[in-house]
Amino acid sequence: MTFDDLGLSADLLRTVSEQGYSQPTPIQTKAIPLVLDGRDIMAAAQTGTGKTAGFTLPLLQLLSVQRPPNARRPVRALVLTPTRELAAQVGESVEIYGKYLPLRSTIIFGGVGIRPQIDALRKGVDILVATPGRLLDHVSQKTLDLSQVEILVLDEADRMLDMGFIHDIRKVLALLPKKRQNLLFSATFSDDIKRLADGLLNAPILVEAARANTAAESVSQVVHQVDKNRKRELLSFLIGSRNWQQVLVFTRTKHGANRLAQQLEQDGIRASAIHGNKSQSARTRALADFKKGAVRVLVATDIAARGLDIDQLPHVVNYELPNVPEDYVHRIGRTGRAGCEGEAVSLVCVDEIKLLRDIERLLKKEVDKVVIEGFEHDPSIAAEPIINGRQNRGGGASRAGEQGRNGAKSNAGRSRTGGRPGAPRKEGAGRPAVSRQNKPRVRQAQSGSTGN
Ligand code: AMP
């Protein structure tokens, strides 16, 4: 199957070839003809599958062939995304793919001034890419009219629900004409998503790129079990010893992201954090620095990382496992994109074993466990609960029969059992319990905030 077979116009084929895409991805092969046919679709596609072009290309084509008589240029296609970053990226794709077409688009999201958005809307746009909150701000200020929308796209619908946008989505739906084409994209399909789809889609066709809730095949996954208070050390060791140059690292909390980025900097590894408490310009700058290689590690929370499109990202590290198993699929979808190989490494402490099991249940397979020599976990440490994404810090896990480690400096990568430091070993290779001398200093528990 080639792009020529999908029914796209010459102008669009030209941009596709300029982008260097030689073949459509599976989601594009399936979605493009259906969208061109005017059908509603419910697409199970995670980031990295080429889903954006899967809806943008046919959407552009439909709008360009059916020019409305109205010279006012009402918004004819609305793409809703959960995050600013995703809105920016989808908006950029619309611009790129549509560059030979006489269509106008704009992006609106919060965290930046509303005035330029009002000006852009006033001039008239055919395609609007927006996050729900700012979209509704415009509606309430009467700077936006959605009564002429012909095509609605909900991108990463599952994340929008996770972020609590359901009420905003329903408000937006009430502003749209009843007769329209609907395209819903989601990496995962919970009952909530199915309910939303039921009320939204008209005789939809289910399109699956990869089975929902499955990780992309091109991503190799591995778990290193390690004590909580040695995760940072192990991360620095992996980055250094394996010479990883571009690593996206996930934490559960904003506070944890900040702290880890600072600690990595102290280890001499250029790092920055990206999360919802940062201004839009700080987020954009961090991402740009990461993309161009000025920053080696980007530490992100789940919500901030949604929609990050970083081409050929080779390494994703789950510094902490997500509370929601589906987020694991999203996270590792950042690597192994568009046909490239990727590696997803999870650092799992005893508190997270249950989270790991939930993830494996979702994936319907076990993730390989590999012990890094010198970082063996201490089996005598008992699990502690994770509350709202927060854990007692610094290995605060209570240790059966022993209280209060202190004093000794960390010794990254040095084997405590005499083996070659950092050598990977498959779990269960019959290793004796690790000596507990020379444990790193215990840090005080710190408060962290959850989410974004
Ligand atoms: P998406 O899943 O939409 O976030 O796209 C992931 C990445 O794949 C983006 O960097 C796109 O530029 C790229 N991409 C989209 N379609 C193709 C294609 N047919 N061939 C190669 N790369 C593509």
Side-chain angles (χ1 to χ4, degrees), residues 3 16 19-28 45-55 57 86 89-90 93 97 155-156 307-312 333-334 337-339:
F3 275 105
V16 162
Q19 289 303 301
Y21 304 164
S22 50
Q23 268 196 321
T25 64
I27 190 78
Q28 291 163 359
Q46 57 205 58
T47 314
T49 53
K51 67 182 168 66
T52 314
F55 64 77
L57 291 170
L86 186 61
Q89 276 164 21
V90 172
S93 297
Y97 299 137
D155 196 9
E156 304 204 348
L308 291 187
D309 177 16
I310 303 151
D311 278 342
Q312 303 179 7
R334 308 284 129 193
R337 295 161 74 84

Tab-separated table of all heavy atoms in Angstrom, residues 3 16 19-28 45-55 57 86 89-90 93 97 155-156 307-312 333-334 337-339, ligand 1:
chain	number	residue	atom	x	y	z
A	3	PHE	N	0.900	5.786	-0.427
A	3	PHE	CA	0.034	6.939	-0.209
A	3	PHE	C	-0.834	7.192	-1.436
A	3	PHE	O	-1.968	7.661	-1.321
A	3	PHE	CB	0.873	8.171	0.141
A	3	PHE	CG	1.218	8.261	1.611
A	3	PHE	CD1	2.485	7.969	2.069
A	3	PHE	CD2	0.245	8.628	2.539
A	3	PHE	CE1	2.792	8.056	3.421
A	3	PHE	CE2	0.539	8.720	3.898
A	3	PHE	CZ	1.819	8.432	4.339
A	16	VAL	N	3.409	14.986	1.715
A	16	VAL	CA	3.773	13.700	2.324
A	16	VAL	C	5.164	13.284	1.847
A	16	VAL	O	6.019	12.880	2.639
A	16	VAL	CB	2.714	12.622	1.958
A	16	VAL	CG1	3.252	11.230	2.169
A	16	VAL	CG2	1.448	12.832	2.776
A	19	GLN	N	7.842	15.275	3.387
A	19	GLN	CA	8.128	14.866	4.770
A	19	GLN	C	8.997	13.609	4.820
A	19	GLN	O	9.427	13.184	5.880
A	19	GLN	CB	6.818	14.569	5.526
A	19	GLN	CG	5.998	15.791	5.854
A	19	GLN	CD	6.786	16.792	6.668
A	19	GLN	OE1	7.253	16.483	7.756
A	19	GLN	NE2	6.991	17.976	6.139
A	20	GLY	N	9.184	13.006	3.658
A	20	GLY	CA	10.011	11.797	3.603
A	20	GLY	C	9.254	10.534	3.982
A	20	GLY	O	9.854	9.504	4.274
A	21	TYR	N	7.914	10.604	3.986
A	21	TYR	CA	7.152	9.393	4.310
A	21	TYR	C	7.015	8.573	3.040
A	21	TYR	O	6.385	9.008	2.086
A	21	TYR	CB	5.742	9.730	4.807
A	21	TYR	CG	5.657	10.664	5.995
A	21	TYR	CD1	4.449	11.286	6.303
A	21	TYR	CD2	6.750	10.910	6.817
A	21	TYR	CE1	4.337	12.133	7.388
A	21	TYR	CE2	6.645	11.755	7.906
A	21	TYR	CZ	5.441	12.370	8.181
A	21	TYR	OH	5.332	13.213	9.242
A	22	SER	N	7.585	7.388	3.038
A	22	SER	CA	7.500	6.585	1.824
A	22	SER	C	6.247	5.716	1.815
A	22	SER	O	5.675	5.431	0.774
A	22	SER	CB	8.753	5.727	1.664
A	22	SER	OG	9.004	5.052	2.862
A	23	GLN	N	5.814	5.326	2.990
A	23	GLN	CA	4.663	4.417	3.077
A	23	GLN	C	3.726	4.873	4.160
A	23	GLN	O	4.188	5.346	5.207
A	23	GLN	CB	5.169	3.044	3.515
A	23	GLN	CG	5.505	2.126	2.403
A	23	GLN	CD	5.606	0.709	2.945
A	23	GLN	OE1	6.125	0.517	4.039
A	23	GLN	NE2	5.133	-0.247	2.194
A	24	PRO	N	2.430	4.710	3.981
A	24	PRO	CA	1.525	5.043	5.083
A	24	PRO	C	1.694	4.056	6.239
A	24	PRO	O	1.994	2.878	6.001
A	24	PRO	CB	0.135	4.937	4.470
A	24	PRO	CG	0.280	4.136	3.230
A	24	PRO	CD	1.703	4.231	2.782
A	25	THR	N	1.501	4.528	7.445
A	25	THR	CA	1.537	3.618	8.593
A	25	THR	C	0.200	2.861	8.625
A	25	THR	O	-0.763	3.268	7.948
A	25	THR	CB	1.706	4.405	9.905
A	25	THR	OG1	0.553	5.224	10.089
A	25	THR	CG2	2.963	5.272	9.890
A	26	PRO	N	0.096	1.782	9.406
A	26	PRO	CA	-1.169	1.023	9.413
A	26	PRO	C	-2.397	1.880	9.761
A	26	PRO	O	-3.439	1.753	9.122
A	26	PRO	CB	-0.914	-0.045	10.487
A	26	PRO	CG	0.572	-0.255	10.473
A	26	PRO	CD	1.174	1.094	10.152
A	27	ILE	N	-2.243	2.780	10.724
A	27	ILE	CA	-3.430	3.595	11.087
A	27	ILE	C	-3.798	4.524	9.932
A	27	ILE	O	-4.976	4.762	9.664
A	27	ILE	CB	-3.198	4.380	12.405
A	27	ILE	CG1	-4.508	5.026	12.907
A	27	ILE	CG2	-2.154	5.483	12.278
A	27	ILE	CD1	-5.417	4.092	13.581
A	28	GLN	N	-2.808	5.017	9.213
A	28	GLN	CA	-3.085	5.892	8.068
A	28	GLN	C	-3.769	5.106	6.959
A	28	GLN	O	-4.730	5.573	6.344
A	28	GLN	CB	-1.785	6.528	7.571
A	28	GLN	CG	-1.210	7.541	8.564
A	28	GLN	CD	0.243	7.890	8.324
A	28	GLN	OE1	0.883	7.369	7.415
A	28	GLN	NE2	0.782	8.756	9.167
A	45	ALA	N	-5.298	4.182	18.662
A	45	ALA	CA	-3.944	4.440	18.173
A	45	ALA	C	-3.187	5.267	19.184
A	45	ALA	O	-3.665	6.310	19.615
A	45	ALA	CB	-3.998	5.180	16.845
A	46	GLN	N	-2.053	4.778	19.562
A	46	GLN	CA	-1.253	5.566	20.488
A	46	GLN	C	-0.321	6.493	19.721
A	46	GLN	O	-0.158	6.365	18.511
A	46	GLN	CB	-0.473	4.653	21.426
A	46	GLN	CG	0.404	3.680	20.717
A	46	GLN	CD	0.650	2.449	21.582
A	46	GLN	OE1	-0.266	1.754	22.007
A	46	GLN	NE2	1.902	2.178	21.831
A	47	THR	N	0.270	7.405	20.452
A	47	THR	CA	1.212	8.324	19.833
A	47	THR	C	2.364	7.521	19.240
A	47	THR	O	2.761	6.513	19.799
A	47	THR	CB	1.769	9.284	20.898
A	47	THR	OG1	0.674	9.739	21.653
A	47	THR	CG2	2.474	10.453	20.274
A	48	GLY	N	2.847	7.979	18.117
A	48	GLY	CA	3.955	7.270	17.489
A	48	GLY	C	3.505	6.377	16.349
A	48	GLY	O	4.314	5.818	15.621
A	49	THR	N	2.193	6.249	16.180
A	49	THR	CA	1.690	5.382	15.113
A	49	THR	C	1.449	6.167	13.821
A	49	THR	O	1.083	5.586	12.809
A	49	THR	CB	0.344	4.751	15.530
A	49	THR	OG1	-0.529	5.817	15.932
A	49	THR	CG2	0.513	3.778	16.671
A	50	GLY	N	1.619	7.476	13.890
A	50	GLY	CA	1.323	8.302	12.718
A	50	GLY	C	-0.131	8.731	12.685
A	50	GLY	O	-0.676	9.112	11.650
A	51	LYS	N	-0.790	8.689	13.835
A	51	LYS	CA	-2.229	8.987	13.890
A	51	LYS	C	-2.542	10.429	13.475
A	51	LYS	O	-3.579	10.689	12.885
A	51	LYS	CB	-2.796	8.691	15.278
A	51	LYS	CG	-2.277	9.619	16.370
A	51	LYS	CD	-2.849	9.238	17.714
A	51	LYS	CE	-2.158	9.939	18.862
A	51	LYS	NZ	-2.325	11.382	18.944
A	52	THR	N	-1.622	11.351	13.778
A	52	THR	CA	-1.928	12.757	13.478
A	52	THR	C	-2.132	12.953	11.975
A	52	THR	O	-3.110	13.563	11.545
A	52	THR	CB	-0.802	13.674	13.985
A	52	THR	OG1	-0.461	13.276	15.307
A	52	THR	CG2	-1.227	15.124	13.992
A	53	ALA	N	-1.206	12.397	11.188
A	53	ALA	CA	-1.390	12.486	9.732
A	53	ALA	C	-2.614	11.668	9.322
A	53	ALA	O	-3.295	12.008	8.348
A	53	ALA	CB	-0.141	11.979	9.009
A	54	GLY	N	-2.914	10.630	10.095
A	54	GLY	CA	-4.066	9.769	9.805
A	54	GLY	C	-5.372	10.543	9.794
A	54	GLY	O	-6.283	10.239	9.034
A	55	PHE	N	-5.490	11.556	10.640
A	55	PHE	CA	-6.728	12.352	10.559
A	55	PHE	C	-6.514	13.692	9.853
A	55	PHE	O	-7.415	14.220	9.227
A	55	PHE	CB	-7.407	12.532	11.931
A	55	PHE	CG	-6.632	13.311	12.972
A	55	PHE	CD1	-6.549	14.691	12.941
A	55	PHE	CD2	-6.005	12.648	14.014
A	55	PHE	CE1	-5.859	15.397	13.929
A	55	PHE	CE2	-5.312	13.342	15.012
A	55	PHE	CZ	-5.239	14.726	14.959
A	57	LEU	N	-4.495	14.581	7.247
A	57	LEU	CA	-4.456	14.564	5.775
A	57	LEU	C	-5.871	14.496	5.174
A	57	LEU	O	-6.228	15.349	4.344
A	57	LEU	CB	-3.583	13.406	5.274
A	57	LEU	CG	-2.067	13.537	5.545
A	57	LEU	CD1	-1.340	12.226	5.236
A	57	LEU	CD2	-1.463	14.673	4.726
A	86	LEU	N	0.403	18.983	22.908
A	86	LEU	CA	-0.191	18.215	21.809
A	86	LEU	C	-0.903	19.154	20.841
A	86	LEU	O	-0.815	18.984	19.621
A	86	LEU	CB	-1.141	17.143	22.343
A	86	LEU	CG	-1.698	16.201	21.279
A	86	LEU	CD1	-0.594	15.421	20.570
A	86	LEU	CD2	-2.712	15.225	21.856
A	89	GLN	N	1.649	20.618	18.644
A	89	GLN	CA	2.181	19.684	17.652
A	89	GLN	C	1.179	19.356	16.550
A	89	GLN	O	1.537	19.287	15.374
A	89	GLN	CB	2.621	18.396	18.346
A	89	GLN	CG	4.021	18.557	18.889
A	89	GLN	CD	4.376	17.507	19.903
A	89	GLN	OE1	3.768	16.445	19.936
A	89	GLN	NE2	5.347	17.793	20.714
A	90	VAL	N	-0.071	19.166	16.952
A	90	VAL	CA	-1.083	18.879	15.929
A	90	VAL	C	-1.235	20.108	15.031
A	90	VAL	O	-1.301	19.996	13.796
A	90	VAL	CB	-2.431	18.479	16.581
A	90	VAL	CG1	-3.523	18.385	15.536
A	90	VAL	CG2	-2.295	17.153	17.313
A	93	SER	N	1.437	20.166	12.576
A	93	SER	CA	1.208	19.182	11.496
A	93	SER	C	0.182	19.701	10.498
A	93	SER	O	0.336	19.524	9.290
A	93	SER	CB	0.697	17.853	12.072
A	93	SER	OG	1.654	17.293	12.916
A	97	TYR	N	1.194	19.877	6.662
A	97	TYR	CA	0.519	19.064	5.644
A	97	TYR	C	-0.353	19.916	4.726
A	97	TYR	O	-0.593	19.566	3.579
A	97	TYR	CB	-0.341	17.962	6.300
A	97	TYR	CG	0.441	16.979	7.134
A	97	TYR	CD1	-0.036	16.565	8.381
A	97	TYR	CD2	1.645	16.439	6.699
A	97	TYR	CE1	0.670	15.666	9.156
A	97	TYR	CE2	2.358	15.535	7.475
A	97	TYR	CZ	1.871	15.160	8.704
A	97	TYR	OH	2.568	14.262	9.478
A	155	ASP	N	-8.624	14.117	19.988
A	155	ASP	CA	-7.335	13.426	19.966
A	155	ASP	C	-6.941	13.071	21.396
A	155	ASP	O	-7.081	13.901	22.292
A	155	ASP	CB	-6.276	14.344	19.326
A	155	ASP	CG	-5.033	13.574	18.925
A	155	ASP	OD1	-5.059	12.327	18.973
A	155	ASP	OD2	-4.024	14.215	18.559
A	156	GLU	N	-6.450	11.875	21.572
A	156	GLU	CA	-6.070	11.387	22.903
A	156	GLU	C	-7.236	11.583	23.873
A	156	GLU	O	-7.107	12.161	24.957
A	156	GLU	CB	-4.777	12.048	23.385
A	156	GLU	CG	-3.667	11.827	22.358
A	156	GLU	CD	-2.244	11.907	22.897
A	156	GLU	OE1	-2.057	12.349	24.043
A	156	GLU	OE2	-1.327	11.508	22.160
A	307	GLY	N	1.579	14.031	24.253
A	307	GLY	CA	1.676	14.806	23.031
A	307	GLY	C	3.090	15.226	22.686
A	307	GLY	O	3.296	15.854	21.675
A	308	LEU	N	4.043	14.899	23.517
A	308	LEU	CA	5.414	15.237	23.135
A	308	LEU	C	5.786	14.400	21.924
A	308	LEU	O	5.737	13.185	21.980
A	308	LEU	CB	6.410	14.875	24.248
A	308	LEU	CG	6.376	15.682	25.531
A	308	LEU	CD1	7.540	15.272	26.409
A	308	LEU	CD2	6.445	17.152	25.229
A	309	ASP	N	6.136	15.037	20.879
A	309	ASP	CA	6.547	14.281	19.695
A	309	ASP	C	8.026	14.523	19.469
A	309	ASP	O	8.430	15.567	18.988
A	309	ASP	CB	5.733	14.722	18.484
A	309	ASP	CG	6.187	13.999	17.231
A	309	ASP	OD1	6.881	12.972	17.357
A	309	ASP	OD2	5.861	14.467	16.131
A	310	ILE	N	8.804	13.579	19.884
A	310	ILE	CA	10.238	13.729	19.729
A	310	ILE	C	10.669	12.593	18.819
A	310	ILE	O	10.535	11.431	19.168
A	310	ILE	CB	10.937	13.651	21.093
A	310	ILE	CG1	10.360	14.721	22.000
A	310	ILE	CG2	12.433	13.823	20.947
A	310	ILE	CD1	10.390	14.372	23.437
A	311	ASP	N	11.108	12.976	17.649
A	311	ASP	CA	11.409	11.951	16.660
A	311	ASP	C	12.505	11.017	17.139
A	311	ASP	O	13.510	11.455	17.672
A	311	ASP	CB	11.858	12.612	15.355
A	311	ASP	CG	10.653	13.058	14.549
A	311	ASP	OD1	9.557	12.552	14.843
A	311	ASP	OD2	10.808	13.904	13.670
A	312	GLN	N	12.285	9.750	16.921
A	312	GLN	CA	13.311	8.731	17.159
A	312	GLN	C	13.896	8.795	18.560
A	312	GLN	O	15.097	8.687	18.757
A	312	GLN	CB	14.424	8.861	16.130
A	312	GLN	CG	13.874	8.765	14.738
A	312	GLN	CD	14.937	8.923	13.679
A	312	GLN	OE1	16.120	8.980	13.985
A	312	GLN	NE2	14.525	8.986	12.452
A	333	GLY	N	5.152	4.663	24.635
A	333	GLY	CA	4.842	5.038	23.251
A	333	GLY	C	5.682	6.209	22.758
A	333	GLY	O	5.660	6.563	21.591
A	334	ARG	N	6.427	6.818	23.678
A	334	ARG	CA	7.312	7.934	23.290
A	334	ARG	C	8.547	7.435	22.574
A	334	ARG	O	9.305	8.211	22.013
A	334	ARG	CB	7.816	8.704	24.511
A	334	ARG	CG	6.770	9.141	25.433
A	334	ARG	CD	6.064	10.305	24.871
A	334	ARG	NE	4.660	10.053	24.915
A	334	ARG	CZ	3.768	10.771	24.280
A	334	ARG	NH1	4.136	11.759	23.534
A	334	ARG	NH2	2.500	10.482	24.376
A	337	ARG	N	9.194	5.106	17.878
A	337	ARG	CA	8.183	5.754	17.058
A	337	ARG	C	8.459	5.603	15.565
A	337	ARG	O	9.589	5.574	15.157
A	337	ARG	CB	8.122	7.236	17.406
A	337	ARG	CG	7.664	7.448	18.808
A	337	ARG	CD	8.048	8.807	19.255
A	337	ARG	NE	7.197	9.797	18.625
A	337	ARG	CZ	6.017	10.140	19.072
A	337	ARG	NH1	5.533	9.562	20.130
A	337	ARG	NH2	5.315	11.048	18.473
A	338	ALA	N	7.378	5.552	14.817
A	338	ALA	CA	7.444	5.522	13.352
A	338	ALA	C	8.583	4.635	12.853
A	338	ALA	O	9.462	5.054	12.121
A	338	ALA	CB	7.567	6.932	12.790
A	339	GLY	N	8.531	3.405	13.299
A	339	GLY	CA	9.437	2.411	12.733
A	339	GLY	C	10.825	2.352	13.345
A	339	GLY	O	11.631	1.532	12.943
B	1	AMP	P1	2.049	10.637	15.588
B	1	AMP	O1	1.690	9.247	16.004
B	1	AMP	O2	1.014	11.281	14.782
B	1	AMP	O3	2.459	11.443	16.796
B	1	AMP	O4	3.320	10.548	14.631
B	1	AMP	C1	4.542	10.070	15.065
B	1	AMP	C2	5.688	10.451	14.147
B	1	AMP	O5	5.633	9.696	12.947
B	1	AMP	C3	5.738	11.899	13.731
B	1	AMP	O6	7.052	12.360	13.925
B	1	AMP	C4	5.410	11.886	12.251
B	1	AMP	O7	6.109	12.901	11.575
B	1	AMP	C5	5.888	10.517	11.828
B	1	AMP	N1	5.133	9.934	10.709
B	1	AMP	C6	3.811	10.075	10.462
B	1	AMP	N2	3.455	9.363	9.367
B	1	AMP	C7	4.567	8.753	8.909
B	1	AMP	C8	4.845	7.876	7.812
B	1	AMP	N3	3.885	7.464	6.994
B	1	AMP	N4	6.116	7.446	7.664
B	1	AMP	C9	7.083	7.837	8.534
B	1	AMP	N5	6.883	8.653	9.585
B	1	AMP	C10	5.647	9.112	9.776
